[in-house]
């Protein structure tokens, strides 16, 4: 019995917290297992630890070295002349005309090339140019005084010369063989003759020669066109276009200065067996119509057949 060693009994202190002091001692095996467990957990991080320790984008960006930004060198803005198409857009008709004339004078060979490339002038465009010269001529007259006096003539003489020279240049352009269509030629001559009518009758005889010469040239032009038109399509352009009436009116307004052209018109209308508009009007005024077949054909084509015959009313 003496060999038995009594194990002392330890009583907890009165003021000792039983939660901090376990009631029974922990064995070495339990402590060792817990230590190994903690060590394994420390070596293998949890998912939360892995997420918390993963580098964020901001940290990753901060960790990268700063990239050097290379700026592209731009050429300096300097002045330069306009391209040729833009330069031509800023020029008016007078400036373009002056430039072309200067180029043609320096390089005569370019004149024929420009004539081939440029579109053919129409009757309306040619008359528009002539009216522009006429407007300049009318604007040159002085205020007050007689518009037909020598003083007025001296003031407007340069503008009058430009107008007559333009008329002399445009007229041959619309004559055969340069112009193949008789209707275009006659249309131009009609407007050009009206322009000559509007020229003043100067007091001095020598000054009136400008207008007389213009009448002579335009009368020759009418004659040339009538002769050529009579050879084509049976002269239908002068036979049914009413040009004989217009020419007769021009001749009366000019004081008989276009009589040569009127005679040529009558000759060809008589040779073709037709009647002029003036002759038809005279026959209608007298209540008669031609008995020949050509007169009947003329009235049928013009739509005036039977217009002067009495209309019967009532039973036949």
């Amino acid at each position: 019995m003496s060999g038995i060693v009594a194990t002392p009994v330890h009583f907890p202190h009165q003021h000792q917290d039983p939660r901090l002091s376990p009631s029974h001692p922990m064995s070495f095996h339990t402590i060792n297992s817990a230590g190994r467990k903690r060590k394994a957990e420390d070596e293998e991080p949890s998912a939360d630890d892995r997420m918390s320790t993963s580098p964020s984008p901001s940290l990753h960006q901060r960790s990268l070295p700063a990239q050097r930004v290379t700026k592209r060198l731009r050429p300096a803005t300097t002045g330069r002349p306009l391209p040729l198409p833009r330069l031509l857009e800023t020029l008016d008709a007078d400036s373009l005309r002056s430039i072309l004339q200067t180029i043609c004078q320096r390089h005569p060979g370019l004149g024929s090339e420009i004539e081939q490339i440029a579109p053919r002038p129409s009757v309306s465009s040619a008359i528009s140019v002539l009216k522009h010269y006429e407007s300049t001529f009318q604007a040159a007259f002085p205020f007050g005084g007689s518009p037909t006096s020598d003083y007025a003539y001296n003031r407007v003489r340069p503008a009058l010369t430009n107008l007559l020279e333009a008329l002399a240049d445009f007229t041959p352009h619309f004559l055969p063989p340069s112009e193949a269509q008789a209707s275009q030629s006659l249309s131009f001559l009609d407007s050009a003759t009206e322009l000559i009518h509007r020229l003043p009758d100067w007091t001095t005889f020598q000054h009136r020669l400008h207008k007389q010469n213009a009448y002579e040239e335009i009368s020759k032009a009418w004659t040339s066109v009538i002769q050529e038109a009579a050879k084509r399509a049976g002269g239908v352009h002068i036979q049914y276009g009413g040009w004989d009436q217009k020419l007769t009116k021009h001749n009366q307004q000019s004081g008989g200065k276009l009589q040569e052209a009127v005679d040529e018109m009558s000759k060809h209308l008589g040779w073709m067996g037709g009647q002029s508009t003036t002759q038809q009007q005279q026959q209608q005024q007298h209540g008669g119509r031609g008995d020949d077949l050509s007169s009947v054909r003329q009235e049928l084509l013009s739509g005036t057949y039977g217009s002067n015959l009495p209309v019967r009313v009532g039973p036949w």
Side-chain angles (χ1 to χ4, degrees):
M1 298 296 292
S2 61
I4 300 175
V5 179
T7 302
V9 179
H10 297 275
F11 295 95
H13 195 268
Q14 298 180 354
H15 301 286
Q16 186 177 1
D17 192 351
R19 292 175 297 179
L20 299 177
S21 299
S23 58
H24 57 275
M26 298 178 61
S27 63
F28 177 78
H29 177 75
T30 304
I31 296 173
N32 192 14
S33 299
R36 287 198 302 269
K37 184 177 182 180
R38 287 195 298 270
K39 183 177 181 181
E41 292 177 353
D42 293 341
E43 291 178 357
E44 182 179 358
S46 62
D48 294 339
D49 295 339
R50 287 196 299 268
M51 293 180 63
S52 62
T53 57
S54 60
S56 61
S58 59
L59 295 176
H60 180 70
Q61 292 177 358
R62 286 196 299 269
S63 63
L64 294 177
Q67 297 181 357
R68 177 177 297 178
V69 179
T70 304
K71 294 185 178 180
R72 186 177 180 180
L73 298 178
R74 297 181 178 180
T77 303
T78 58
R80 63 178 182 273
L82 278 174
L84 181 59
R86 298 301 182 191
L87 178 61
L88 295 177
E89 290 178 354
T90 62
L91 301 177
D92 55 3
D94 294 336
S95 300
L96 286 174
R97 189 181 303 110
S98 177
I99 292 175
L100 287 176
Q101 290 177 353
T102 303
I103 293 176
C104 292
Q105 291 175 359
R106 295 178 180 178
H107 308 279
L110 294 177
S112 58
E113 185 175 355
I114 293 176
E115 292 177 355
Q116 297 176 359
I117 298 176
R120 182 179 178 84
S122 62
V123 175
S124 59
S125 62
I127 296 301
S128 177
V129 173
L130 292 177
K131 287 184 177 180
H132 174 72
Y133 280 106
E134 184 182 11
S135 300
T136 305
F137 165 69
Q138 296 292 341
F141 276 89
F143 293 99
S146 175
T148 60
S149 63
D150 294 343
Y151 174 73
Y153 172 81
N154 292 329
R155 289 286 300 271
V156 302
R157 181 177 180 179
L160 176 62
T161 303
N162 294 335
L163 173 60
L164 295 176
E165 289 180 352
L167 180 61
D169 291 336
F170 277 109
T171 300
H173 175 75
F174 291 97
L175 299 182
S178 177
E179 178 59 59
Q181 299 182 6
S183 59
Q184 297 292 319
S185 301
L186 294 172
S187 179
F188 173 81
L189 294 178
D190 183 33
S191 300
T193 307
E194 289 287 349
L195 188 147
I196 298 175
H197 293 330
R198 294 191 293 267
L199 294 177
D201 295 323
W202 305 105
T203 304
T204 305
F205 173 78
Q206 294 179 352
H207 299 166
R208 292 199 300 266
L209 292 178
H210 296 292
K211 190 173 183 178
Q212 294 180 6
N213 294 335
Y215 274 131
E216 292 179 3
E217 294 298 328
I218 208 68
S219 179
K220 295 178 181 178
W222 277 97
T223 303
S224 175
V225 173
I226 293 170
Q227 291 174 352
E228 188 65 26
K231 302 176 184 178
R232 300 180 180 182
V236 66
H237 294 291
I238 59 176
Q239 188 175 3
Y240 305 115
W243 293 109
D244 57 333
Q245 184 179 4
K246 295 180 181 180
L247 182 57
T248 301
K249 182 179 178 181
H250 287 315
N251 186 43
Q252 294 175 356
Q253 192 170 354
S254 64
K257 294 181 176 60
L258 303 179
Q259 188 62 41
E260 180 184 357
V262 173
D263 295 340
E264 191 71 22
M265 178 77 74
S266 301
K267 181 179 67 175
H268 286 286
L269 288 178
W271 176 81
M272 289 182 291
Q275 288 180 325
S276 64
T277 308
T278 306
Q279 293 174 350
Q280 291 182 8
Q281 292 177 353
Q282 292 176 356
Q283 289 184 357
Q284 291 177 2
Q285 290 176 359
H286 294 288
R289 62 181 179 88
D291 296 332
D292 55 348
L293 294 178
S294 61
S295 299
V296 176
R297 176 175 174 272
Q298 172 70 17
E299 293 180 4
L300 287 174
L301 292 175
S302 61
T304 59
Y305 179 77
S307 60
N308 57 344
L309 295 177
V311 178
R312 298 182 60 182
V313 180
W316 295 94

